[in-house]
Amino acid sequence: MTVQNGKIDKSPEVVIHKCTPEYWLWLPKNVRIAFAWITITLFSLSFMSPILFFLLLVPYLWKIAPIVMGSIAFSLVLSYVIPLREWLWFRKIGQLWYEVFDFHCNLSPEEIENILIHGDTKQLILAMHPHGIVPFQAILWAAYCDQYFTVGKRALYGFAAAADAVGYVPFLRNVMGFLGAGSASYKALKDGLVEGKVPSVPNRRPRHLYILPGGVAEIFRSKPGAHEIIFKHRKGLVRLAIETGAELCPCYVFGGTDFYQNLATNDGVFARLSRKLRAGFTIFWGYAGLPIPFAPKVTMCIGAPIPTPKLPPNATQEERDAAVNALHTQFMENIHALFDKYKSAAGYPDAKLIIH
């Protein structure tokens, strides 16, 4: 209850919930913070690992530091030898990051339970925006889902999707494999939802999908203070939801674009090259001009699943297109409403969401 202009506003207050790294509480806080920054930095550097290939081509470096260069070569080979397989414990690393990013979520224990119950009978596609330059929110989501959306044998964690180019990036490919990520191609996503076939998840049949729909294009809308996402002309994920019967669940992460400064924004050369290669290429920096991110407050807001319309098998193409357009519009309206509802509580009272 609040007082505005001398009148009592009895509308319920918007509350966000602080997340606690329960798995790591046995460690002293300063040790947790140290480990957090080490893993955060390593994750950041994994996006820059292709540079190592160029270093190996410099004869002078081999001459002055043969052991170091040999170690780099060995680690690169090892990255491609290690099978891309899910590693359940890896999800817990993200809990270390909670305190660094003052991580909050909008869901109450009752709402978490309701989504779990809903997920028992319905498949969900958690569509998270924004992508950011380095998607730390993906690791935070994995940790949150493992901690709060896992009760006994009931678990919401399904499989994730990543650009095909990630499969060729050393170290980053392994991280995505540990998280149970597969190709973001339409066929791979449909196989995962319909048949539960995900190469990196051989020991279980995942039901739900986690994805950052903005993809590469959203990287170039990422800069501190920006709240811009790419979805207005993207309907593939909506069509996938209708074809599989899965329900779209909008999610917005406040702070997701505040980790780094970004040199390449909008539709410049880097953006056009990245779209062609289906991988993000930009120059970014954080603390002291280094690839160490800033530490913004991060608030993950998850909206209610949107019911998916059921079409008869003999539906015309016109009817299918109409259903796609309606669900697409509903998703944009819902993520706008989600953004506006929680922006003040997340620390962005004057922010406006722009959907490109």
Side-chain angles (χ1 to χ4, degrees), residues 20-237:
T20 304
E22 295 176 358
Y23 184 81
W24 300 100
L25 290 179
W26 58 277
L27 287 173
K29 183 174 181 178
N30 60 338
V31 176
R32 294 198 302 269
I33 297 297
F35 282 164
W37 276 113
I38 290 170
T39 52
I40 286 169
T41 302
L42 289 174
F43 182 59
S44 303
L45 292 175
S46 71
F47 284 78
M48 305 173 67
S49 59
I51 295 174
L52 297 175
F53 287 110
F54 295 100
L55 295 180
L56 294 178
L57 298 177
V58 181
Y60 179 72
L61 294 178
W62 282 95
K63 182 177 180 179
I64 63 173
I67 296 178
V68 172
M69 299 305 289
S71 299
I72 292 175
F74 176 76
S75 64
L76 290 173
V77 172
L78 189 63
S79 172
Y80 288 97
V81 171
I82 296 175
L84 300 183
R85 293 291 182 270
E86 183 179 51
W87 182 15
L88 300 182
W89 182 86
F90 190 81
R91 303 174 192 170
K92 300 186 185 301
I93 290 177
Q95 286 191 40
L96 286 169
W97 301 6
Y98 289 178
E99 292 166 300
V100 169
F101 297 128
D102 191 18
F103 185 53
H104 287 68
C105 185
N106 67 317
L107 298 180
S108 67
E110 294 77 14
E111 289 169 323
I112 291 172
E113 177 64 19
N114 289 338
I115 291 178
L116 266 175
I117 293 172
H118 193 73
D120 288 340
T121 57
K122 297 288 186 179
Q123 285 184 287
L124 303 178
I125 299 175
L126 187 92
M128 181 181 285
H129 293 276
H131 184 288
I133 299 172
V134 175
F136 295 102
Q137 50 267 49
I139 304 295
L140 289 168
W141 158 252
Y144 183 88
C145 194
D146 178 72
Q147 180 179 353
Y148 293 97
F149 277 126
T150 303
V151 180
K153 293 184 178 180
R154 298 170 64 201
L156 200 69
Y157 200 98
F159 69 104
D164 289 343
V166 170
Y168 301 98
V169 180
F171 311 128
L172 180 59
R173 67 191 299 273
N174 305 110
V175 171
M176 294 298 103
F178 294 157
L179 293 176
S183 169
S185 70
Y186 194 90
K187 182 180 184 305
L189 297 181
K190 191 170 183 177
D191 286 346
L193 286 170
V194 175
E195 301 179 21
K197 292 182 178 179
V198 181
S200 61
V201 188
N203 298 321
R204 62 184 178 89
R205 182 180 176 131
R207 284 175 43 79
H208 311 292
L209 167 64
Y210 163 77
I211 191 169
L212 294 158
V216 169
E218 224 162 70
I219 292 175
F220 301 98
R221 298 287 176 179
S222 179
K223 58 184 177 181
H227 298 278
E228 302 181 36
I229 67 175
I230 307 292
F231 200 79
K232 184 178 291 185
H233 303 292
R234 295 192 170 192
K235 299 181 180 179
L237 194 64

Side-chain angles (χ1 to χ4, degrees), residues 37 40-41 44 101 136 259-260 285-287 290-296:
W37 276 113
I40 286 169
T41 302
S44 303
F101 297 128
F136 295 102
F259 297 114
Y260 291 109
W285 63 94
Y287 281 122
L290 299 172
I292 300 174
F294 302 116

